[in-house]
Amino acid sequence: VRGGSKKITLVDYDIVEAGNICRSEYDLHHINEYKAISLSKELRSISPHVSVNCIGEIDKTLPGAPNFYKIKSFLNDFDLIFDCSTDMELSYMFDRMEPKSRIVNLSVTDKAKDLVCVIGGYNVTDQKAIIFTKVSPITHPPNYYPGSGCQYPTFQASYTDINSLVSFAVRQINFGFIKENLQSFVIST
């Protein structure tokens, strides 16, 4: 929104819980709200000119399934899809659909040591696997702990750690669009 986007669709089925506050833009007054709705309120407070649509989730599907082309058609209506879900099944689905929309997949590694940005539409899953093998090889079990407010165990990282990586990544993504040369990249602390 601060970059000028006027039409945004947010997809997230999850509810804000206390454990989300230390790693994200949510505040205490957002607890028990749907994440997409909470974020949409914040975006509208930045600009009254933004149109925000909230969706609970996108059904995962594969070629041959009855809803495959319906979901692909829905995704093709977007200029950009930012996938910050770290859901490999969703990445795989995007790869099989090959939507005309540009896919920007963002993932943060354990303790926010790296931010991985994979640009694609047909090869996100493979790119992520190759990059993560290099930047975050598993030599010992990651230091995960049960997430308070997360469906999955979460890594140790603060809002400041994550936000500094994301802010720089957004700058790199904008620069890639301006130069018409947006490519996958890794930011390491």
Side-chain angles (χ1 to χ4, degrees):
V1 171
R2 287 187 173 106
S5 295
K6 299 223 186 305
K7 188 175 177 185
I8 296 173
T9 297
L10 302 171
V11 180
D12 197 333
Y13 62 87
D14 205 3
I15 291 175
V16 178
E17 295 185 29
N20 300 125
I21 294 169
C22 69
R23 294 181 309 277
S24 61
E25 292 286 333
Y26 302 112
D27 294 320
L28 288 174
H29 70 274
H30 292 125
I31 291 176
N32 294 326
E33 287 185 344
Y34 284 100
K35 289 180 178 179
I37 292 172
S38 293
L39 184 56
S40 72
K41 290 176 187 176
E42 295 301 313
L43 296 176
R44 287 184 188 108
S45 75
I46 294 168
S47 171
H49 305 291
V50 67
S51 169
V52 183
N53 182 29
C54 296
I55 298 173
E57 65 184 305
I58 295 175
D59 292 331
K60 294 176 199 163
T61 185
L62 291 173
N67 60 347
F68 181 82
Y69 290 103
K70 181 180 176 185
I71 294 171
K72 180 177 178 172
S73 175
F74 169 74
L75 295 174
N76 280 337
D77 286 341
F78 297 94
D79 298 321
L80 281 170
I81 298 172
F82 283 88
D83 175 16
C84 305
S85 68
T86 67
D87 185 330
M88 290 302 281
E89 291 176 351
L90 193 59
S91 293
Y92 185 79
M93 181 184 85
F94 289 155
D95 288 348
R96 296 305 159 265
M97 285 186 171
E98 298 182 15
K100 67 179 182 181
S101 312
R102 176 77 57 91
I103 304 283
V104 179
N105 182 283
L106 297 171
S107 304
V108 177
T109 63
D110 189 31
K111 297 184 181 177
K113 291 180 182 176
D114 308 283
L115 181 141
V116 176
C117 179
V118 176
I119 307 301
Y122 63 90
N123 63 348
V124 171
T125 309
D126 292 340
Q127 283 189 69
K128 280 171 60 172
I130 292 167
I131 292 170
F132 272 96
T133 301
K134 293 177 182 178
V135 300
S136 188
I138 298 176
T139 55
H140 61 283
N143 196 12
Y144 291 122
Y145 60 96
S148 170
C150 294
Q151 178 180 358
Y152 303 105
T154 189
F155 53 86
Q156 295 178 359
S158 72
Y159 170 82
T160 304
D161 298 334
I162 295 167
N163 190 44
S164 61
L165 289 171
V166 170
S167 292
F168 191 72
V170 169
R171 183 170 186 230
Q172 293 302 105
I173 291 166
N174 285 340
F175 186 71
F177 277 117
I178 290 167
K179 295 291 185 181
E180 297 181 9
N181 187 26
L182 184 59
Q183 297 179 19
S184 298
F185 60 86
V186 176
I187 302 169
S188 297
T189 56

